[in-house]
Amino acid sequence: MRPAFWQGKRVFLTGHTGFKGAWLCMWLSYLGAEVHGYALRPPTKPSLYELAQVETRLAGVIYDDIRNLDALRSGILNARPDIIIHMAAQPLVRRSYLEPLETYQTNMMGTIHLFEAIRSAIAADQSIKAVINVTTDKCYENMDWEWGYRETDPLGGSDPYSNSKACSEMITNAYRSSYFSGAAGCAVATARAGNVIGGGDWAQDRLIPDCLEALMKGEPISLRNPSFVRPWQHVCEPLGGYLQLAEKMYDNGHSYEGAWNFGPDESGFHSVEGIASLLCSKWGGSAAYRSELDEQQIKESAVLRLDSSKAKHRLGWKPKWTISQALDKVVDWTQSWIKDGEAAEISISQIKAYME
């Protein structure tokens, strides 16, 4: 990553009010970028976006739905961005079972609306250099393999969320090939990250937020699927990858477009129970966990791994923090916030530590 690159760059970020979006806004603002956000109001109470007063760091904000093409088109035309990072989504597997229509509309039509808005901006002679659509590691056709999925493996998804994200990948590829492949066209890529953890996440039905909620109440953590293995990583890891990818795309155009995995090293692949046990040991006191039956019986893959060799070899990106260090950061962030209520300061301090 080249911090000086971002000074004065105009970045349009969808989904900026979410957990990852708020972290990325703070990071880009710290680097001196001019950030324009487009998203619904924060999806949780409390939210990192509000606690860290992220809005005060932005050059422009639109609170609207990604499915509103007119508002999205107007936002991009007015922002005149150099780089677009698309993170707006319905991001929860369990919710996708309850709200499949919303999930497909948001994750598929939202992607289409983004690229239609970009086409309008390019037709208006705007120079957008790079577009990154952030999808998920769950976009692959999961075979419960013990080895990591590569960018060339088949897409699939057996639940509405995963399937909608696989569709978003294919939509991106179709628009890239049909409209943006010429010499003057912007470079377009997709980014697939693992299970992201970090301070300030209050989303429902995610392991770390559920664990922290129980720990703060002094209650034992309840685990639905203790044996499931996932690629766990601190939020700074994939966000740093997105920034490195955007730099390469901006400077080199189409040479760096396509799909990219940003997952942890082998040490980051842990079972749900392993993560809960490690988190309890770091939290201290009487922290404990227990397993219980998943009454909703939501079908999820038991094993999911990513192979990030491409990003390591071509971008020079690699994970910096082990899962133990990542959980240290989560505990430090949460306990610091409980103590003094300062969300922005601890977030920026961890971003600086990661960059160093």
Side-chain angles (χ1 to χ4, degrees):
M1 185 193 307
R2 294 176 287 138
F5 168 89
W6 294 95
Q7 189 69 38
K9 289 290 189 300
R10 293 188 301 276
V11 182
F12 191 88
L13 177 62
T14 73
H16 72 285
T17 58
F19 165 62
K20 287 174 70 177
W23 272 92
L24 188 54
C25 283
M26 288 188 281
W27 198 337
L28 287 167
S29 175
Y30 171 72
L31 293 174
E34 178 187 308
V35 185
H36 297 259
Y38 184 102
L40 296 172
R41 294 282 179 176
T44 62
K45 291 288 185 179
S47 76
L48 177 60
Y49 181 78
E50 293 177 333
L51 291 174
Q53 298 181 311
V54 173
E55 183 178 335
T56 64
R57 301 171 181 269
L58 306 181
V61 176
I62 297 176
Y63 296 111
D64 212 318
D65 199 304
I66 196 70
R67 293 170 289 183
N68 185 341
L69 176 57
D70 291 339
L72 182 61
R73 180 186 286 121
S74 176
I76 291 177
L77 287 170
N78 290 334
R80 301 186 64 84
D82 304 302
I83 295 167
I84 295 176
I85 302 177
H86 177 48
M87 301 176 71
Q90 192 300 93
L92 302 174
V93 173
R94 296 174 76 84
R95 180 174 172 180
S96 77
Y97 278 100
L98 300 173
E99 301 289 348
L101 181 59
E102 176 201 30
T103 300
Y104 279 107
Q105 287 178 334
T106 301
N107 296 348
M108 291 175 57
M109 291 308 301
T111 303
I112 292 173
H113 288 171
L114 175 78
F115 286 117
E116 284 298 303
I118 292 171
R119 290 182 65 204
S120 296
I122 292 175
D125 294 326
Q126 291 192 16
S127 178
I128 300 171
K129 297 290 188 180
V131 179
I132 299 176
N133 176 18
V134 177
T135 61
T136 177
D137 56 354
K138 297 175 181 63
C139 68
Y140 292 104
E141 183 179 352
N142 197 311
M143 306 294 187
D144 285 329
W145 289 335
E146 289 296 326
W147 54 88
Y149 292 91
R150 296 188 176 187
E151 291 86 350
T152 53
D153 285 326
L155 300 174
S158 58
D159 60 84
Y161 167 72
S162 304
N163 185 258
S164 69
K165 283 297 193 175
C167 292
S168 179
E169 288 272 353
M170 290 186 283
I171 290 166
T172 302
N173 185 59
Y175 268 84
R176 177 174 56 242
S177 301
S178 299
Y179 303 108
F180 307 122
S181 60
C186 61
V188 177
T190 58
R192 307 158 181 178
N195 282 38
V196 173
I197 64 175
D201 188 3
W202 280 278
Q204 290 184 328
D205 294 324
R206 283 184 183 160
L207 178 61
I208 297 301
D210 289 349
C211 289
L212 292 174
E213 182 180 6
L215 293 173
M216 286 188 284
K217 292 179 178 178
E219 300 174 351
I221 298 167
S222 296
L223 304 180
R224 292 189 301 268
N225 300 300
S227 64
F228 281 16
V229 174
R230 293 290 184 267
W232 309 94
Q233 56 190 151
H234 191 272
V235 64
C236 285
E237 302 281 16
L239 296 186
Y242 306 161
L243 296 180
Q244 283 186 252
L245 176 57
E247 291 172 13
K248 291 287 190 179
M249 293 169 67
Y250 186 95
D251 289 339
N252 301 282
H254 299 290
S255 299
Y256 286 86
E257 60 187 7
W260 298 84
N261 286 342
F262 295 99
D265 284 328
E266 187 61 30
S267 64
F269 296 98
H270 280 266
S271 68
V272 167
E273 183 175 12
I275 294 296
S277 177
L278 191 55
L279 180 61
C280 286
S281 68
K282 293 177 179 297
W283 188 266
S286 59
Y289 66 89
R290 67 181 179 221
S291 300
E292 60 180 39
L293 180 66
D294 183 359
E295 295 181 355
Q296 296 186 41
Q297 295 293 312
I298 297 299
K299 184 179 185 298
E300 294 187 60
S301 298
V303 178
L304 181 55
R305 296 175 183 267
L306 279 182
D307 184 321
S308 302
S309 300
K310 178 181 175 182
K312 292 176 181 177
H313 294 152
R314 295 205 61 205
L315 300 179
W317 174 88
K318 63 179 180 179
K320 295 184 178 182
W321 288 339
T322 64
I323 186 57
S324 180
Q325 291 172 311
L327 287 171
D328 282 336
K329 300 299 181 186
V330 173
V331 171
D332 289 346
W333 192 102
T334 306
Q335 294 183 342
S336 175
W337 172 71
I338 291 172
K339 180 180 178 181
D340 58 30
E342 179 53 61
E345 183 176 343
I346 182 63
S347 301
I348 295 298
S349 70
Q350 292 190 354
I351 289 170
K352 290 180 180 179
Y354 183 83
M355 292 176 63
E356 292 168 357

